[in-house]
Amino acid sequence: MATTTLAPPIGLTSRALVEVKNIIQEKSVPADYGLRIGVQGGGCSGMSYLLGFDKAKEQDEVYDLDGVQLIMDKKHAMYVLGMEVDFQDGLNARGFTFNNPQAKSTCGCGSSFSA
């Protein structure tokens, strides 16, 4: 069973939170799904970010961010501790961005990093 805790190791800006809530509503994401944030091997810098909707699993921790369930595998916390997820909606770029203080280097697109 997933563990629910109070303080999330990462933050979402108000723009990112609004966009996540819009996606949940527009795509009719089931109520038992939350926003999974984590990392996986790959990308040009060695690791890339995971961001998507999923059900909590046994090894996960679940956090409440202003009504949005944030799901993260416990093992991923050390790679994203203190990270802030933002949402950009400009002429040059549209999408989620990651400001990760744990990243030693990042790629040009900002979706992968090395720790």
Side-chain angles (χ1 to χ4, degrees), residues 2-24:
T3 306
T4 302
T5 57
L6 297 177
I10 68 160
L12 270 67
T13 65
S14 58
R15 288 186 301 226
L17 201 52
V18 165
E19 185 62 20
V20 167
K21 288 179 178 182
N22 286 341
I23 293 169
I24 289 170

Side-chain angles (χ1 to χ4, degrees), residues 4 13-14 38 47 55 60-61 66 68 78 81 88 103 114:
T4 302
T13 65
S14 58
M47 298 185 90
K55 284 185 178 183
D60 292 333
E61 291 187 319
D66 195 24
V68 172
M78 65 186 241
L81 185 64
Q88 301 294 318
S114 66

Side-chain angles (χ1 to χ4, degrees), residues 29-99:
V29 176
D32 58 343
Y33 277 59
L35 181 65
R36 178 173 296 280
I37 295 182
V39 296
Q40 64 184 4
C44 23
S45 294
M47 298 185 90
S48 59
Y49 297 108
L50 288 171
L51 187 65
F53 295 100
D54 195 7
K55 284 185 178 183
K57 297 174 179 58
E58 187 174 320
Q59 72 276 11
D60 292 333
E61 291 187 319
V62 180
Y63 308 92
D64 181 70
L65 274 162
D66 195 24
V68 172
Q69 269 195 359
L70 178 67
I71 302 169
M72 184 183 311
D73 186 313
K74 294 174 187 176
K75 295 179 288 195
H76 295 197
M78 65 186 241
Y79 297 109
V80 297
L81 185 64
M83 182 172 77
E84 182 179 68
V85 179
D86 195 9
F87 183 77
Q88 301 294 318
D89 191 9
L91 293 174
N92 296 330
R94 175 177 165 81
F96 291 96
T97 60
F98 305 90
N99 180 10

